[in-house]
Amino acid sequence: CRDSDGVLHAFGSRWRTEDCYDCSCNTDGINCCAGFGTPIGFNEEKCEKIFNKKTCTYKVVEKEDPSKECPFNKMVA
């Protein structure tokens, strides 16, 4: 399988992309899905979600003071 960057992957192989998607290659082609959850159910006027590509995780913080985390209801894929 050749990915969008032109890299060849062997059948049966798995990898994580730079954008935190988990991919696999089989005889049907490449299949990728998000390797992270997205927080929902937070105060969007007061807070914002920030994605960390190194850890492939979101953090929800106050817009006025990003050192303070905001509560959220759940994560969705």
Side-chain angles (χ1 to χ4, degrees), residues 11-54:
F11 291 133
S13 64
R14 296 179 179 275
W15 67 97
R16 178 166 274 184
T17 69
E18 201 174 271
D19 294 326
C20 299
Y21 283 82
D22 293 326
C23 299
S24 62
C25 169
N26 61 42
T27 55
D28 294 329
I30 293 177
N31 183 32
C32 296
C33 62
F36 54 89
T38 302
I40 60 169
F42 59 91
N43 182 338
E44 293 186 36
E45 288 181 24
K46 181 181 175 184
C47 305
E48 65 184 340
K49 59 186 176 190
I50 298 173
F51 190 69
N52 181 329
K53 277 190 174 185
K54 285 187 178 183

